[in-house]
Amino acid sequence: MANAASGMAVNDDCKLKFLALKAKRTYRFIVFKIEEKQKQVVVEKVGEPTQSYEDFAASLPSDECRYAVYDFDFVTEENCQKSRIFFIAWSPDNSRVRSKMIYASSKDRFKRELDGFQVELQATDPTEMGLDVIRSRAG
């Protein structure tokens, strides 16, 4: 397990699941959670390839921070099927200040461990990571 600068380790399962999403498209999304007691980032939930963006958004708690990766499929103006992997730092306004600080200080290290996403979003409420935002950032 790698050790993060903030003291948060990244559980190997996080990297394995991310590789499965990136290379094999095994998952549509992955939600990661920091376990403060164990001082590590762990996988909280994975979404099947058939699940929708709405399923993904609904899996983020309204009052707790999370990291998430979402594999977004879209069709370009030239009618090409494409995919973009999004990293989303979810930090809702009403989450605990301590939690926001831990997630913010651990984010860069965590992102380095998961190499291969194309777009990063920081969201404090659902409108900041709505499907329209995802679409506009994917192109």
Side-chain angles (χ1 to χ4, degrees), residues 22-57:
K22 186 173 78 168
K24 301 189 189 113
R25 321 256 346 242
T26 310
Y27 308 110
R28 173 65 57 198
F29 62 84
I30 309 169
V31 178
F32 304 96
K33 173 184 186 176
I34 291 178
E35 289 286 2
E36 284 187 53
K37 286 183 178 58
Q38 287 98 16
K39 293 199 176 334
Q40 66 174 336
V41 183
V42 298
V43 172
E44 182 180 53
K45 181 173 186 169
V46 294
E48 297 305 315
T50 54
Q51 289 190 276
S52 68
Y53 185 79
E54 288 72 25
D55 295 325
F56 164 64

Side-chain angles (χ1 to χ4, degrees), residues 47-71:
E48 297 305 315
T50 54
Q51 289 190 276
S52 68
Y53 185 79
E54 288 72 25
D55 295 325
F56 164 64
S59 68
L60 295 172
S62 61
D63 59 350
E64 288 180 40
C65 300
R66 293 291 186 271
Y67 300 130
V69 174
Y70 183 79
D71 186 6

Side-chain angles (χ1 to χ4, degrees), residues 18 70-71 83-87 116-120 137:
F18 179 70
Y70 183 79
D71 186 6
S83 159
R84 286 272 183 272
I85 298 174
F86 279 74
F87 175 84
F117 52 84
Q118 291 111 344
V119 188
E120 180 183 343
R137 293 287 303 273

